[in-house]
Amino acid sequence: MAVITEDNRKWWLLVAVSCVLGLVLLDETVVGVALPTIEEELGLSVNQSHWVVNSYLLVFACFVAVGGKLGDQFGMLPMFLIGLLVFGLCSVIGGFAPSGHVLITARSVQGIGAAIIFPLFVAMITMTFPKEQRGFALGVGGAIGTIFLSLGPLAGGLLTDLLSWRWIFWINPPIVVLIGLIAFLTWRDVDRPKAPPIDWTGLALIASGMFCTIFSLMQSEVWGWTSPLVYGLFAAGIGLLMVFVWYELRVAAPLIEVDLFVNPAFLASNLTIFMAQYSKMPIFIFAAMYAQEVLGLSPLGAGLLVMLAAITQPFVAPYCGKLTDSHEPGLLATGGMVGLGIAMALMAITAPLDTIWLFAIGVIITGLAMPFVFVPTQTAIMASLPEHKHGQGGGISMTSQMIGGTVGLAISGTLFAFHKDYALVFASTAVLLFVLAVICFILFRKSVTQSA
């Protein structure tokens, strides 16, 4: 009797592509715990160790906007399998990396694979399930993804402690092969309108602009803030991003419809998602480093501590979803940002005390607040756009999310490099959260007033 049949194939496909979301989320949390060990074994500087994370995030952020469009142009299954192949091969190379340069390069290319497969997760589920089952299917996919997210710190600590940090990359290929096999057996293509041409000029502008801006921030530790290279690259990056906005407003088929940001709810939602992902870097990278370098915990102990920020999210997210159905999403999202700000402030206050129990309270609060930032904003984004632009809005929100992560690591890493102060990293994040919470609250209120 066949395990995969025509009747159950969509559920097999759902589990397979949901594991893609899981791999991407796992990568956010699993590397941070192992970073001090990687830094020591490969002889990396603090700046280089941060590039192990940020090279992946930066490339992911630059290419995620085009990932779904590649599926429309060249076919969902072929691009999905190519993305998986790139992701899996780079995981193998990263695990065998003899030096930091090889590891950082592998992570960069791995970001391209993630940028291809991540947007296709939603598209393939939407195209496979009937309209009345899509919400449930996407909910199942999100639940599987958050399970991976929750287990990331624990898996990173266990593998680093018991085997080697290299296994945090080697666990990916078997999962990738299984996902690819199931997708190949269960995917059925559907007829859809011809996709518009890909905006390669826009992609080149945003990728080069992002690279110059982030590279200048992260290299300021090495070159110094007064270096003409730092100022020159930063100015070039900002200039390229301004040209990108100008160009996108004039091209017929833009990579990103930047005029959507005129809508105050859409702008506020993307700022919220940006800041939420920014906040993940102090939690999953710097809290893990603080636990090992200051509190003296093992990688496993650090993983268990950081896991407190993820383990509550699968339980809080459904409750948050119910509240979103009956309350103003913008108010909940703003409250979530304030909650994250309070958690970061508490971590900043307790970090100099070198007391794990007080510090852990702040970590727990971040896990409780995070769903209130992500869940309502996705609802607010969809509500702020006409239905035919939901796909574009989802793609932009993913880009905002990834940019938030790479900017967050760049700024936090730069602050830490110059001051060697974990409390400063947490405190600066708290200040930004409070400031943006006020801005987003005003924008959400403006949107409600306009629609009344």
Side-chain angles (χ1 to χ4, degrees):
M1 183 178 178
V3 176
I4 299 176
T5 66
E6 195 59 32
D7 291 332
N8 66 19
R9 67 168 184 84
K10 64 183 178 182
W11 300 107
W12 280 97
L13 181 71
L14 172 62
V15 173
V17 298
S18 296
C19 288
V20 165
L21 173 63
L23 283 177
V24 174
L25 293 176
L26 180 73
D27 204 85
E28 288 184 12
T29 57
V30 74
V31 177
V33 175
L35 210 54
T37 305
I38 295 173
E39 183 180 318
E40 181 181 350
E41 287 195 15
L42 295 184
L44 308 182
S45 66
V46 173
N47 177 266
Q48 288 175 318
S49 70
H50 290 166
W51 271 116
V52 172
V53 177
N54 220 6
S55 58
Y56 172 84
L57 292 174
L58 180 57
V59 174
F60 195 164
C62 291
F63 286 92
V64 71
V66 80
K69 296 184 179 183
L70 289 172
D72 291 334
Q73 287 279 347
F74 304 109
M76 291 288 174
L77 183 62
M79 290 312 304
F80 186 75
L81 295 178
I82 289 171
L84 281 175
L85 179 63
V86 172
F87 190 92
L89 284 177
C90 289
S91 296
V92 174
I93 295 170
F96 282 107
S99 67
H101 293 100
V102 174
L103 179 57
I104 292 168
T105 302
R107 293 278 290 160
S108 299
V109 182
Q110 188 181 31
I112 296 176
I116 294 173
I117 58 179
F118 189 63
L120 298 184
F121 151 74
V122 175
M124 293 175 80
I125 290 177
T126 302
M127 293 167 65
T128 299
F129 283 82
K131 190 172 183 179
E132 62 272 13
Q133 291 182 329
R134 285 174 193 165
F136 176 75
L138 289 171
V140 171
I144 293 173
T146 49
I147 289 171
F148 276 75
L149 175 73
S150 302
L151 294 177
L154 178 61
L158 273 173
L159 292 171
T160 303
D161 251 3
L162 302 181
L163 297 171
S164 165
W165 63 264
R166 298 180 184 276
W167 279 96
I168 68 173
F169 300 112
W170 288 339
I171 60 173
N172 289 333
I175 301 174
V176 162
V177 170
L178 187 59
I179 291 172
L181 178 62
I182 294 174
F184 179 79
L185 294 173
T186 57
W187 172 250
R188 303 290 183 272
D189 211 345
V190 297
D191 293 329
R192 52 191 189 277
K194 185 179 179 181
I198 294 173
D199 177 17
W200 296 109
T201 302
L203 177 62
L205 286 169
I206 191 174
S208 55
M210 282 291 300
F211 175 79
C212 290
T213 305
I214 299 302
F215 190 76
S216 65
L217 287 173
M218 293 195 67
Q219 290 301 113
S220 61
E221 174 206 352
V222 180
W223 298 336
W225 279 111
T226 58
S227 169
L229 276 174
V230 171
Y231 288 117
L233 277 172
F234 187 81
I238 298 300
L240 285 166
L241 292 174
M242 292 173 67
V243 173
F244 168 77
V245 172
W246 174 86
Y247 178 80
E248 293 297 281
L249 288 170
R250 286 157 179 78
V251 70
L255 181 71
I256 294 175
E257 292 186 37
V258 293
D259 56 341
L260 293 178
F261 287 94
V262 173
N263 185 310
F266 186 79
L267 173 58
S269 297
N270 278 279
L271 284 173
T272 304
I273 288 175
F274 169 92
M275 199 60 219
Q277 192 71 14
Y278 182 115
S279 303
K280 283 186 178 182
M281 296 304 106
I283 298 167
F284 292 115
I285 303 299
F286 289 93
M289 293 170 59
Y290 168 80
Q292 293 175 72
E293 296 178 1
V294 177
L295 298 180
L297 300 181
S298 67
L300 176 57
L304 289 170
L305 175 63
V306 175
M307 190 178 175
L308 296 175
I311 196 169
T312 58
Q313 293 186 37
F315 304 100
V316 177
Y319 174 71
C320 184
K322 290 181 180 180
L323 285 178
T324 302
D325 291 334
S326 56
H327 293 75
E328 172 59 38
L331 188 61
L332 291 173
T334 304
M337 289 182 73
V338 172
L340 279 177
I342 292 171
M344 288 291 169
L346 183 59
M347 290 163 69
I349 293 169
T350 57
L353 303 178
D354 299 349
T355 304
I356 185 172
W357 304 112
L358 293 175
F359 187 81
I361 294 173
V363 178
I364 292 171
I365 295 174
T366 63
L368 297 173
M370 198 67 75
F372 284 91
V373 180
F374 280 107
V375 175
T377 49
Q378 294 295 343
T379 301
I381 285 173
M382 295 304 125
S384 68
L385 300 175
E387 190 170 339
H388 69 280
K389 291 192 175 182
H390 281 185
Q392 176 72 194
I396 292 174
S397 71
M398 279 191 280
T399 303
S400 299
Q401 184 174 340
M402 291 302 106
I403 291 175
T406 191
V407 171
L409 183 55
I411 293 177
S412 298
T414 301
L415 286 172
F416 183 76
F418 279 101
H419 299 282
K420 306 297 181 185
D421 186 353
Y422 287 103
L424 179 62
V425 172
F426 303 132
S428 64
T429 306
V431 170
L432 282 173
L433 280 162
F434 289 136
V435 170
L436 277 180
V438 173
I439 294 172
C440 290
F441 178 78
I442 294 170
L443 288 170
F444 280 125
R445 288 292 93 195
K446 183 179 179 181
S447 174
V448 171
T449 304
Q450 287 179 353
S451 60

